[in-house]
Each structure stands twice: as structure tokens, then as C-alpha cells.
Amino acid sequence: MEKIKKVIASLTGILLSIPYRLMAQDEGSYIENLGVQDSSYMEEGNPIPAGSAAEQASGSGNTVIIIVVAAVLVIAAVVFFILRKKKK
Amino acid sequence: MNKAFHILSAQNGFAAILVLAAILLGFMAPKAAVNVDEQLHYPHAKKVVNWYFTLGEDRSCLDTPKSNLKYYGQSVDNLTALINRVFSIENEFLLRHYAGAFFFWLLLLFSGMIARKVTGSYQVATITVLTLLLMPRLFGQAFGNLKDIPFATGYTAGVFMIIKFLKEMPRPRWRTAVFLGLAIAFTVSVRAGGFILFGYLALCIFTFLFWKPFYLNSVSTKPVFVRLTGQVTVILFIGYFAGLLFWPFALQNVFSHPLESLNLMEHYSVNIRQIFEGELTWSAQLPWYYVPKWLLISTPEFIMVGLLFSLFFVVREFIDRKYSCENCLYTIFILFVFVFPVVYVIAIGSNLYSGIRQMLFVLPFVGILAAIGIWKFVKWLAGNNKKLFFPSITILIALAFLPVKHQAATFPAGYVYFNSISGGNKKAWSNYEYDYYFHGIKQPADYLINLAGNDDIKVVMNCNLTNYFSTYPNIEVGYSRYLERSSTDWDYAIFGINYIHPHLLKNYKWQTTEVIKTFYHKGNPLAVVLKRVDKNDFYGIEAVEKGNFTEGQELIKSSLQNNLNNVWLYVQLAKANLLAGNASEFKKYLNEGKTIHPFYEPLFMLEAQYYYNEGQYVKSMNILKELVEINPLYPNAQALKNDIENKKLH
């Protein structure tokens, strides 16, 4: 009777451990994708410097455009006046 | 009269060679190849233009987590995208190649003007233009490389304006200051590295005052000091801010983002596999002497000789105590702007790849120095040793002919040039990165388009140059790595001989019976066109993936009979047997695979997995160590190592 109990217990243990064994086998498999990368473009570890995310942008689109236009005008004016003065 | 005639002739010679260069560039631009970076930067440039057109609403140009493109100013790319959009130009790459040609021509002009400024001779200016045209690594990228060539143009223009500014000291003209600011702005607008020109300007002003201390009296007078301070402020303002105007990312934070970009460029995080000294390695692991060695092996002999002459005469002038002469100091400055960036990238351990591509901006100064050296040598010969004059000139012309012949014979892949110090192109193939820009794909693409006619075909390539097929709706284009081509569905394939291990290249094991045409470059295979006989390999691999090991293996084996060098099929057979629990067959295919390619990562991974499954963790770990030695970035190797280490702990 003791022996039968032991066999039943062992069998039950094996049956109950099957899902865990299968899971362990899945977890321990590293050969699904065997391809060899040529560049890190598509890999992890492509660090983006802290604080550079686009969402942290400080100016709205319109503000930036205004700054761009203003700066272009200022620089163009400076260049124009300097060159004009030199011609004189 | 004679002297006046002489000067006039030299000046005309300079003008004539520039006109000839312009005609040559205009003739070559439509026939130039598209490079792989164009397919990266141009789509981004379109997004940048759209950012402006939508007044900042379309923010896609700011979202580049993998490619890092937002960190590039790439103003010339953006300019071509803008022109193509405004004028609805259909052949977008043609305009880009004309733009590249224009900036290369400007590079010739500014380099010549520097040579003239430093030596006072138009003869040297003319020789300088010639030397630049004789640099295949520079000239060969004139059309499609809209970041390195325009950056070199800006850098050269900046150095020219700095010299002009110094020559006008202590009262430089305002016009000079403004144009210097604009030159720096343009350089920064291409790449943040242009900020280095500010450093050069500061260094030059201090050196000037140290060199000519008597000017300190003049500079310290109020009118001169105020004028000079004002000019430096204008240079700083224009140079810094005007360069950011067409760079959306920089405009998000004009003070921190450009510097952040500069920091990123110095330690660029993109890692690319490169062949260097016969080894396949990741760019981040390349040795410190990578750039000097590339300069040594890819600079034409004619330029090397000129450079040596130039160094000789600089040293001699120093020994003769002629270093106080103005021109000598400017020659040393030219030497400095060539050497400093090279020393700097070595000192900070920058991640460099693609030969000297990222350092192309120093090459014009190599050319200028070489031109000065040759000019001085010829003058010295004419004055001191007339017997050797003609033989020496003949040798120089013969050396100059080598890169001319190379470029004429290999266009549009003329940039792939190795000098005789490296043993020439023949020896460099399989030892050094060859056609890294995939210029060699143009001809195979044209060939395949003709071959396909109106048939519907699937094509794969190991690069992103889909542009060649964009007007052919019957041709579907995909991507595949060369060795892994059996895993992809295709009828025809075009592969550049890139990213293939030197072991396979040197032992001809990369070749396959599927090749229907090989395109050569100086006798070296540059690209191949493949035609698939059947798709048993593809269906077999698909079956193995679905768990149909018997059916899959049969198909793969039948394909293998025609393709004995296809190491990827051995990988698949070994994998199928490992998954099916057939150890003896697994080992058989593993060993056969290793016979073909002893350094192939998937074979090591499979072996490590096998020992892991068997519970032989030490053996598995040893295999993984070998694998990491070959390729530290191979996916899953580290994960399996961690797994084993965890198992040991428990």
C-alpha cells in the first residue's frame, strides 16, 4: 500500500510539473531568431540622449516659425547694411 | 610685362580648370549612383520641409528614435527636398546630384582660393583643384553625399574666411566678418561639428596677436577694439543662430539641442559591421588608428608625394628660421586644420566607420598641402637641379594618371580607391570595407530592369536602394541579408558584396550557383544578380518554422544539392534536428555548416542551445564565450548566458 501511494504521488507530481517543464523549455529557447544584424539601426541600445525627446520641445510650431522669420530678417538686414556701407 | 603675363596665365589657368570641372561635374551628375544614406536622409528632409510647410504641426521629423536623423542639420538635403517640392520635380535624385556637384565645385573653388591666399600663387590654386579632382575618395562622392561634401565645403569656406579675416587684421572688413559668420552658419547647418570653426577663429586671433605683438597697441585702441569686438559678436551671432534656422530639432531649444547634437555626433551610437584589416568587426570596436590607416591606404600616391614635399619644405623653412614669414604660418594653419580633427576623433574615441567618409572634410587640406609641396618642389628643381626636372615631372604626371584612370574606369563607384601602399584595390577587397555606399548597385539594377521586362517579379536586396525600381510597378522590392536570403520569398536578388565575412570572401565560399551575373570593380566582385531556380529552401524553412520538421528538411535538402555553400540551410537543418531531438543529425549539419563558415554566429548559438538543453552548462557557456568573441552584439547570446548564470546560482 505504501509503495502504491508513493507511485501515485510520484505520478501526480510528474503530471503537475508538466506545464512548468514545458514553460521552462519555452523560456530556455533562444534559437527562434538566428539572423545576424549588420548594423545597430534596428537594435536596442541605440541611446537617445536624455532630454532630447520630441515631446519635451519647448516652443510651439508657430512661435518657432516667427523666430525663424525674425532671425532671417535681422540677419539679412545686417548683411544688407554692412555690404551697402562698404560699397559707399 | 613677362611677369604680368605670367600671373595672368596662372589666373586664367585657375579659372579654366574651374570651368572644366563644372562641365565635367554637370556631365557626370545625371549618371551618378544613389547611395544608401540618400535613402535615409532624403525622406527625412521631406519631413523637415513639411514641418515648415505645416508651421510645425507635422512633427514626424522630430521623431527619429532609431536613425538619430533629427540631430543632423542636413541643410543641403533639406534644400533639395524644398526645391523638389516647390517645383514638383519628378526625378528627385537628379536634382540632388546636381546640388552635390555644385557644392563640390564650391569646394574646389574655396580650396583653390585658400591655396592662392596662402601662397599668393594661382599656379598653386590650379594644382590644388587638380589634386582634389585626383582624390577618388572625395570626388567619387561629389554627387550623392549631401552631408559630408557640403560639410567639407562649409569647413573649407570657413577656414578661407578665417585666413582672410586674419590677413585683414587689425581692421578686418565688415564684409569679411559677415561672410565668415555665414560660412560657419552653413557648416553648422549641415552638421553640428561646424562649431569647431569658432574654436579655430579664437585660436587664430590669439596666435596672431602672439605672433605680431606690435598689433596689440593698435588692437587696444578704443576704435579698433570696439570694431573688432563688434565683428566677433556678429560672427558669433550669425555663425550660431543662422545655422539653426533650417534645423527643426535645434530650433526646439537653440542653446541645448545643437550642443546635444554635437555630443551625439562625436560619439555616434549607430554601430555598423565593418571589414578592417581582414577582420569583420563592429565599428565601435575599431582600433584607434582606423582613420590614419585609411588615410594612408586610400590617398593617391601623387597626393602623398606632394604632402611629403610640403612637410619637408615646412620643416626646412623652420630650420632656416623662415617661420616668421606670413605664408609659412598660414601653411602651418592648413596643416593644423587637417591634423587636429584626426587627432581629436582619436583622442575622444569617436565611433567611425565607412573608411574616411566622416573625415572627408580634412581631405581638401591634404590636397592644398600636396599642391603647395609639388609647387615648391618643382620650383626648387627648376632653380637647383635642371637635370632632374623633366624626369621628376614625368614621374609626378604618371602618378597623377593612376587615380584619373581609376575614376574613368570605375565610375559611378570611383570612390572605392586604394593606393599601392595597401596593395591596390585587388588586395584591399576582403580586407577593407569596399563599396560601403552601395554605388555598385546601380548597374545591376539597370540590368535587372531590362531582364524583367514587363514580368511581375519579386526582388530582394541587402540595401535600401529601392529608388531604382520606383517607376516599375511590376517589380516588388524587399530586403534580405545575403546569407539569409533563403528565408525570404524572391525571384531575383541583387546583393552588394557587403557585410560578408572575409573568410567566405577569401575562400570563395560566398559564391552561389544562383548567380546569373557578377559585376566587377577592378577585377573584384562588387555586386551580384541572383535568379532563384526553385523556392524549396524558402518553403522548407517555412515548414520547419511551423514544426513540420520532416517535410521541411526534405525541401531544404533538395535545395542544398544545388547550393552546397548555402550555410544558412545548414543552420536550418541543424535547428530542425535540434528541435526534433535528433542529436546525431544535429551535430552532422552543425559541423558541415562550420566547415563552410567557421565563424557563423547562428551555428554557435545552436550549439550553445544544444548543450544548454542537455544540462551541460559549462560547455554551453564556453561556446557562448566564443560566440561573443566573434560578435558581441549577436542577439540572444547574452540572454542565454544570463540564463545559465542564473541556473548556476540556483
Side-chain angles (χ1 to χ4, degrees):
Chain A
M1 194 62 188
E2 281 283 321
K3 283 183 180 174
I4 292 169
K5 274 183 181 176
K6 275 185 182 175
V7 170
I8 291 170
S10 304
L11 281 172
T12 312
I14 290 167
L15 284 171
L16 286 174
S17 70
I18 283 174
Y20 296 100
R21 280 166 188 264
L22 288 174
M23 197 184 288
Q25 219 169 37
D26 284 338
E27 280 175 359
S29 180
Y30 297 90
I31 56 170
E32 278 79 34
N33 181 11
L34 290 166
V36 185
Q37 299 279 353
D38 302 321
S39 87
S40 63
Y41 275 116
M42 298 301 161
E43 289 174 62
E44 72 288 341
N46 201 3
I48 301 165
S52 68
E55 60 270 23
Q56 291 181 3
S58 52
S60 73
N62 288 340
T63 316
V64 170
I65 297 295
I66 291 164
I67 293 169
V68 170
V69 173
V72 168
L73 289 175
V74 168
I75 291 167
V78 168
V79 173
F80 177 75
F81 282 115
I82 287 168
L83 296 181
R84 199 162 162 243
K85 196 180 164 190
K86 286 311 293 179
K87 273 187 180 175
K88 283 178 183 175
Chain B
M1 179 67 192
N2 252 352
K3 195 178 174 187
F5 179 74
H6 183 71
I7 292 166
L8 198 65
S9 298
Q11 194 170 356
N12 285 343
F14 179 55
I17 196 159
L18 284 173
V19 170
L20 281 176
I23 293 168
L24 187 67
L25 288 164
F27 177 72
M28 290 168 78
K31 296 176 178 66
V34 177
N35 70 54
V36 286
D37 270 357
E38 287 192 79
Q39 285 283 64
L40 202 64
H41 286 278
Y42 188 56
H44 181 69
K46 287 179 176 175
K47 289 178 186 173
V48 170
V49 170
N50 212 40
W51 184 81
Y52 287 96
F53 270 85
T54 60
L55 299 177
E57 262 182 43
D58 176 7
R59 300 174 65 80
S60 56
C61 69
L62 297 166
D63 183 25
T64 61
K66 286 175 182 168
S67 61
N68 290 331
L69 287 169
K70 68 179 177 184
Y71 296 102
Y72 286 90
Q74 58 163 64
S75 58
V76 179
D77 283 287
N78 301 343
L79 177 69
T80 59
L82 175 69
I83 296 171
N84 279 333
R85 179 170 170 155
V86 170
F87 296 101
S88 304
I89 294 170
E90 268 186 38
N91 193 344
E92 295 172 313
F93 286 98
L94 181 64
L95 181 101
R96 285 177 59 80
H97 293 176
Y98 274 119
F102 173 68
F103 281 96
F104 181 73
W105 186 85
L106 285 180
L107 179 63
L108 298 178
L109 174 71
F110 283 117
S111 303
M113 283 162 71
I114 288 176
R116 156 87 175 102
K117 205 88 186 151
V118 169
T119 62
S121 165
Y122 275 110
Q123 288 173 349
V124 190
T126 310
I127 302 169
T128 297
V129 174
L130 266 178
T131 59
L132 264 58
L133 290 171
L134 292 175
M135 281 185 174
R137 291 274 164 190
L138 193 68
F139 187 19
Q141 296 190 33
F143 308 101
N145 188 341
L146 295 194
K147 53 179 175 179
D148 298 302
I149 295 292
F151 183 80
T153 306
Y155 184 77
T156 310
V159 170
F160 171 73
M161 293 311 301
I162 288 172
I163 294 172
K164 196 166 156 48
F165 189 84
L166 286 185
K167 288 214 165 195
E168 290 169 8
M169 281 282 270
R171 288 180 63 85
R173 290 191 289 176
W174 277 101
R175 196 171 67 171
T176 307
V178 169
F179 280 120
L180 174 53
L182 289 174
I184 296 174
F186 172 73
T187 317
V188 170
S189 78
V190 181
R191 257 194 344 222
F195 287 127
I196 189 73
L197 290 164
F198 285 130
Y200 289 168
L201 177 65
L203 180 76
C204 282
I205 291 174
F206 284 115
T207 309
F208 177 83
L209 294 175
F210 179 76
W211 174 46
K212 293 183 174 176
F214 46 90
Y215 274 120
L216 272 172
N217 293 334
S218 169
V219 169
S220 55
T221 59
K222 194 181 169 188
V224 176
F225 183 77
V226 169
R227 181 189 168 93
L228 210 54
T229 309
Q231 286 174 331
V232 170
T233 310
V234 163
I235 293 167
L236 282 172
F237 182 79
I238 295 177
Y240 189 91
F241 291 104
L244 313 182
L245 293 176
F246 307 105
W247 184 4
F249 176 66
L251 289 172
Q252 306 302 303
N253 188 330
V254 290
F255 294 107
S256 74
H257 283 184
L259 300 176
E260 195 179 289
S261 171
L262 182 64
N263 187 42
L264 184 107
M265 292 290 161
E266 285 176 347
H267 300 282
Y268 202 51
S269 55
V270 168
N271 215 346
I272 299 177
R273 287 191 111 182
Q274 300 282 289
I275 296 179
F276 184 67
E277 295 182 332
E279 301 280 338
L280 187 63
T281 181
W282 286 98
S283 56
Q285 296 174 309
L286 287 164
W288 68 267
Y289 56 85
Y290 180 72
V291 169
K293 177 128 196 201
W294 261 97
L295 280 170
L296 195 69
I297 62 176
S298 64
T299 306
E301 294 83 344
F302 173 76
I303 314 282
M304 296 279 260
V305 169
L307 188 61
L308 289 175
F309 283 145
S310 187
L311 295 176
F312 169 77
F313 284 110
V314 166
V315 172
R316 209 179 79 149
E317 279 157 5
F318 251 80
I319 292 167
D320 292 350
R321 291 178 177 275
K322 287 182 185 168
Y323 50 81
S324 58
C325 76
E326 195 166 318
N327 288 349
C328 298
L329 203 80
Y330 289 120
T331 309
I332 291 167
F333 179 51
I334 301 299
L335 188 62
F336 176 78
V337 297
F338 152 48
V339 173
F340 176 75
V342 177
V343 174
Y344 182 73
V345 295
I346 292 171
I348 64 169
S350 289
N351 174 23
L352 299 166
Y353 47 83
S354 305
I356 46 165
R357 183 179 65 72
Q358 290 142 312
M359 301 300 289
L360 281 185
F361 63 96
V362 303
L363 293 189
F365 300 95
V366 176
I368 294 167
L369 288 169
I372 293 173
I374 288 164
W375 179 65
K376 286 188 174 175
F377 174 68
V378 171
K379 265 177 63 175
W380 178 83
L381 271 184
N384 297 289
N385 201 331
K386 285 185 180 167
K387 276 185 187 173
L388 283 177
F389 185 81
F390 284 108
S392 302
I393 296 292
T394 310
I395 291 169
L396 282 174
I397 290 170
L399 287 178
F401 184 68
L402 294 175
V404 174
K405 188 184 164 202
H406 169 90
Q407 292 184 98
T410 58
F411 181 78
Y415 81 98
V416 188
Y417 179 83
F418 293 89
N419 61 28
S420 50
I421 297 167
S422 66
N425 281 56
K426 196 72 199 164
K427 203 177 164 190
W429 189 83
S430 79
N431 281 315
Y432 293 96
E433 204 59 31
Y434 209 72
D435 181 18
Y436 54 79
Y437 251 3
F438 287 81
H439 282 197
I441 297 296
K442 188 177 190 293
Q443 282 180 300
D446 291 340
Y447 168 80
L448 192 54
I449 287 164
N450 280 331
L451 192 71
N454 294 321
D455 294 348
D456 289 330
I457 59 166
K458 284 180 183 170
V459 177
V460 291
M461 298 192 288
N462 58 345
C463 61
N464 58 2
L465 297 172
T466 53
N467 54 288
Y468 291 125
F469 304 102
S470 60
T471 52
Y472 298 91
N474 59 317
I475 301 177
E476 187 186 323
V477 190
Y479 173 82
S480 172
R481 294 185 199 107
Y482 177 69
L483 290 184
E484 296 162 25
R485 62 191 180 277
S486 291
S487 287
T488 316
D489 187 12
W490 51 270
D491 305 304
Y492 290 90
I494 298 176
F495 291 110
I497 310 303
N498 298 65
Y499 308 124
I500 301 175
H501 198 283
H503 175 81
L504 295 181
L505 296 175
K506 287 174 200 274
N507 295 290
Y508 307 101
K509 289 180 188 171
W510 64 277
Q511 288 172 330
T512 165
T513 51
E514 296 161 307
V515 172
I516 54 169
K517 191 163 174 67
T518 304
F519 292 82
Y520 292 93
H521 179 276
K522 302 205 91 176
N524 297 317
L526 194 67
V528 284
V529 177
L530 275 60
K531 182 180 180 182
R532 208 166 203 166
V533 181
D534 58 53
K535 295 187 179 178
N536 287 342
D537 50 349
F538 173 67
Y539 295 131
I541 292 168
E542 227 177 29
V544 169
E545 296 295 333
K546 286 175 185 166
N548 302 326
F549 300 129
T550 314
E551 182 199 342
Q553 283 195 68
E554 286 310 312
L555 286 165
I556 294 171
K557 281 178 192 170
S558 74
S559 181
L560 198 58
Q561 285 173 351
N562 304 318
N563 241 323
L564 289 172
N565 280 341
N566 192 333
V567 68
W568 185 244
L569 295 184
Y570 290 98
V571 167
Q572 297 304 324
L573 287 171
K575 180 181 171 181
N577 282 292
L578 179 64
L579 291 171
N582 191 344
S584 62
E585 286 292 292
F586 162 73
K587 285 181 182 170
K588 179 188 153 201
Y589 289 117
L590 188 80
N591 291 332
E592 284 180 7
K594 280 195 174 181
T595 311
I596 297 166
H597 190 348
F599 310 100
Y600 198 35
E601 297 92 327
L603 295 168
F604 286 84
M605 193 67 214
L606 285 166
E607 196 175 7
Q609 180 74 57
Y610 168 75
Y611 286 122
Y612 171 88
N613 293 351
E614 294 290 303
Q616 299 185 49
Y617 299 134
V618 176
K619 273 193 172 178
S620 181
M621 199 60 148
N622 288 339
I623 299 292
L624 285 172
K625 280 177 186 166
E626 280 183 62
L627 172 54
V628 171
E629 189 77 19
I630 292 168
N631 182 355
L633 295 182
Y634 185 67
N636 294 342
Q638 196 57 47
L640 182 52
K641 270 180 86 177
N642 293 342
D643 194 341
I644 294 170
E645 272 158 11
N646 284 338
K647 281 206 160 32
K648 278 181 183 172
L649 286 173
H650 297 100

